[in-house]
Amino acid sequence: MGAPSGHSEGERPMRADARRNYERLVASARDVFAAEGESASMEAVARKAGVGVGTLYRHFPKRIDLVEAVYTTDVDELVDAADEAVKTLDPWTAVVAFLEAFVRYAQSKRTFLNELREAFEEHPDLKLASRERIDGATSRVIRRAQEAGVVRPDVEGGDVTQLLGPMCTSPTITREQMDRLLPLILDGLRVSAPTP
Amino acid sequence: MGAPSGHSEGERPMRADARRNYERLVASARDVFAAEGESASMEAVARKAGVGVGTLYRHFPKRIDLVEAVYTTDVDELVDAADEAVKTLDPWTAVVAFLEAFVRYAQSKRTFLNELREAFEEHPDLKLASRERIDGATSRVIRRAQEAGVVRPDVEGGDVTQLLGPMCTSPTITREQMDRLLPLILDGLRVSAPTP
């Protein structure tokens, strides 16, 4: 996925100013959704992005298009975070950094979870493709740490997302609980005595 | 809660044969729900219990009454399992036994989760009271192990249920993933070198 090419595939690439607006709108939508949740209005998003509502609707004819764009951008950033961690950090630090990025990603989904469910119902492939990309990214981080002997060998990348995802999106979990549970999960993942 | 006193409070205590039927119906309902999920019929439950449908409807006028009874019985058994573990097992073995019981409990909820949500919407106090009882039972098990120096001091009983519950009821988790994740969580909970 990476750079956005517009809300529908097969379109001509966006001009530089259109792309700038697109990116600004997605970033603004994420902030507004995070602050106001499902009650966030399209007008508020346009205002925050400093563009007219007409520009917003040209890029995102329906509210759900904007929800999907925010979600896809979040997935892109999470996958990038995994690749960046693998490239620049030692195996264990990469695991810690990626799990922290995953928690931020999953928590940001909470604010528009119901709308996202609608988007998934309309486009089941969107959910499936994102899940595969995230599980793939997680596996790269985990497998590298397993090869270095610092993560237990009996788990898979998909196990980690299956543990963290439902926990982070649970409607009843508090910020404090999350802060206590992430170190517990990291300790559970870690092999205390690295094999040489 | 403990022994059932009928489907509505303030009724006279049940006669022994009525109570036997009640218990048999709840046990049968649990089996039938587990095997057939939401498509399970009231007739199948009565048949399995070896009673007439009339007897079933006398105890449980609506299907949701039966769902609630199964749920409440499951919560009772989970709380009993915690108390039994605390009474008979060493602190760490009690944690392992209780977490295994919790996983079984949470998994059995998956088969009638949608119906249970309806019951919770009708009786929000049912969800709240059960949650408090389960968190209380978990805290007794965890705190005892913390006092013995075998569980990390920086978690609370409610953290553990908040980690396990969403994981177990997630629609996408597999049996194999659960079997890999429970040891990871136990390792994360455990203090390797007990403080004296």
Side-chain angles (χ1 to χ4, degrees), chain A residues 2 8 19 22 24 32 36 51 88 91 108 140 159 164 168 192:
Chain A
S8 72
R19 166 164 310 206
Y22 178 101
R24 209 182 283 160
V32 173
E36 301 176 26
V51 305
T88 61
S108 78
R140 289 194 288 282
D159 301 346
L164 284 178
C168 293
S192 351

Side-chain angles (χ1 to χ4, degrees), chain A residues 131 152 154-156 158-160 162-163 166-167 170 172-174 177 180-181 183-185 187-189 192, chain B residues 131 152 154-156 158-160 162-163 166-167 170 172-174 177 180-181 183-185 187-189 192:
Chain A
R131 201 189 164 83
R152 61 194 303 145
D154 61 346
V155 292
E156 296 173 5
D159 301 346
V160 176
Q162 186 63 64
L163 176 61
M167 177 188 95
S170 160
T172 45
I173 197 165
T174 66
Q177 288 188 306
R180 288 194 293 264
L181 286 169
L184 183 157
I185 292 168
D187 284 353
L189 273 173
S192 351
Chain B
R131 201 188 163 85
R152 61 193 304 144
D154 61 346
V155 292
E156 295 173 5
D159 300 347
V160 176
Q162 187 63 63
L163 177 62
M167 176 187 98
S170 161
T172 45
I173 196 165
T174 66
Q177 288 188 307
R180 288 193 293 264
L181 286 169
L184 183 157
I185 291 167
D187 284 353
L189 273 174
S192 352

Side-chain angles (χ1 to χ4, degrees), chain B residues 141-180:
Chain B
V141 176
I142 294 292
R143 217 172 294 139
R144 175 168 173 259
Q146 286 171 325
E147 281 160 15
V150 292
V151 158
R152 61 193 304 144
D154 61 346
V155 292
E156 295 173 5
D159 300 347
V160 176
T161 54
Q162 187 63 63
L163 177 62
L164 284 177
M167 176 187 98
C168 293
T169 50
S170 161
T172 45
I173 196 165
T174 66
R175 180 72 244 180
E176 292 70 36
Q177 288 188 307
M178 200 97 71
D179 289 344
R180 288 193 293 264

Side-chain angles (χ1 to χ4, degrees), chain A residues 77-98:
Chain A
E77 288 188 7
L78 180 63
V79 171
D80 288 349
D83 294 339
E84 185 67 18
V86 163
K87 231 181 288 165
T88 61
L89 301 173
D90 74 79
W92 176 249
T93 311
V95 170
V96 177
F98 177 71

Side-chain angles (χ1 to χ4, degrees), chain B residues 55 60-61 67 88 93 99-100 126 143 159 174:
Chain B
T55 302
F60 306 102
V67 169
T88 61
T93 312
L99 261 61
E100 286 171 352
L126 171 68
R143 217 172 294 139
D159 300 347
T174 66

